[in-house]
Amino acid sequence: MSRPLVVIPTYNERESLAGTVARVRASVPAASVLVVDDASPDGTGALAEELASADAAVQVLHRTAKNGLGAAYLEAFGWALERGFDPIVQLDADGSHLPEQLPRLLAGLEGEGSAGPADLVIGSRWIAGGSIENWPRHRELLSRWGSAYARAMLRLDTRDATAGYRAFRADALRRIPLEDVHTRGYGFQVDMLWHARDAGLRVVEVPVTFVERAHGRSKMNPAIVAEAMVRVTAWGLRSRFGRGSAAQRTAGERRSAEAKRSGA
């Protein structure tokens, strides 16, 4: 692993982006940054181009519409794998994922402080040493409940199943059938974790501090959370009636979609 890439999806993050990119570059100078902008109307994409013109380690992937966090990450994963980056890190633009803790995730991939190397390291709020700052109590409870519910329904071992601060080995992403990950919204993180478990990947959590954004508005809303919970519930129920893996669930969804298209 000699070419780390930090993927930063953006939509209306002009106020936060420059500072976040600068902190990533200072924290891990060897890391490149890929900003994936979903046609932000506030000019985030233009700012990203300015940052890229000033630093060869920063690149920009422009998308034509706001199609969801999952879609942005999946496109970025394909882009990164084609260009030989390894490892590949997910990081929010708004500063909630502290770039200064990125070395902790990268060390986790190498097995420092654990029983051995990992395929996927998750920056966790809900293990010993993890914490949150400046969150209202109701949001903390919602996040804790969401992770607990996903763990219970899908039989996952990861404490922070919805966490978005993650570092993947490139080989780990190749072992996950990314074409079968169809979730595009909040449930994407759970969907990827479920596929990672089914692919036999070694997942390790390291403690991080999650900080509430200082600028802009959160993209999270009750409808997004409800959609994710509906999906997790459906996956969990299917897993209890004979289609227990993410791959089997995906195959069933694909057959259903094909049947609808054919008029069956």
Side-chain angles (χ1 to χ4, degrees):
M1 296 188 297
S2 59
R3 300 186 66 208
L5 177 72
V6 178
V7 179
I8 305 179
T10 57
Y11 184 78
N12 287 350
E13 296 290 356
R14 185 177 178 86
E15 292 180 285
S16 302
L17 180 61
T20 298
V21 170
R23 290 167 62 189
V24 169
R25 297 285 290 123
S27 179
V28 182
S32 297
V33 173
L34 177 66
V35 178
V36 186
D37 186 62
D38 274 10
S40 297
D42 74 342
T44 300
L47 174 60
E49 288 291 351
E50 294 176 14
L51 299 175
S53 67
D55 184 348
V58 179
Q59 300 190 59
V60 186
L61 183 60
H62 293 282
R63 289 159 44 82
T64 58
K66 187 176 184 292
N67 291 320
L69 181 70
Y73 271 129
L74 289 171
E75 188 168 344
F77 292 160
W79 186 98
L81 293 175
E82 287 177 0
R83 290 160 177 80
F85 286 101
D86 186 18
I88 300 161
V89 179
Q90 299 179 189
L91 185 137
D92 285 353
D94 60 16
S96 57
H97 300 153
L98 299 180
E100 293 76 17
Q101 295 183 333
L102 176 55
R104 187 178 301 178
L105 274 69
L106 299 180
L109 286 175
E110 298 293 349
E112 297 179 23
S114 66
D119 299 303
L120 164 61
V121 174
I122 293 178
S124 177
R125 298 159 291 186
W126 312 133
I127 63 172
S131 62
I132 55 173
E133 292 184 3
N134 303 325
W135 261 19
R137 182 62 175 169
H138 74 273
R139 188 173 175 188
E140 177 185 350
L141 292 174
L142 179 62
S143 181
R144 286 183 180 274
W145 179 84
S147 284
Y149 187 73
R151 291 200 315 270
M153 291 300 293
L154 303 178
R155 300 182 177 92
L156 299 171
D157 296 326
T158 305
R159 291 288 302 173
D160 198 345
T162 62
Y165 202 179
R166 302 180 174 195
F168 290 90
R169 290 180 180 271
D171 181 64
L173 286 175
R174 293 189 183 97
R175 290 164 60 187
I176 296 173
L178 296 177
E179 67 278 4
D180 290 341
V181 179
H182 299 301
T183 310
R184 296 297 180 260
Y186 182 70
F188 170 76
Q189 309 294 8
V190 175
D191 202 352
M192 281 290 291
L193 182 58
W194 193 20
H195 276 83
R197 192 275 307 276
D198 282 0
L201 302 185
R202 183 167 188 266
V203 181
V204 169
E205 291 179 271
V206 299
V208 298
T209 300
F210 187 97
V211 180
E212 177 67 337
R213 64 164 61 232
H215 304 287
R217 298 177 59 185
S218 172
K219 313 302 186 297
M220 190 63 59
N221 61 57
I224 291 174
V225 175
E227 178 191 10
M229 292 303 100
V230 167
R231 283 180 176 268
V232 169
T233 300
W235 300 339
L237 291 175
R238 290 178 185 179
S239 75
R240 285 160 170 72
F241 292 96
R243 282 154 50 181
S245 73
Q248 289 170 323
R249 179 265 298 174
T250 299
E253 290 179 348
R254 185 185 299 116
R255 286 194 297 269
S256 176
E258 290 173 351
K260 289 180 180 178
R261 285 195 296 269
S262 66

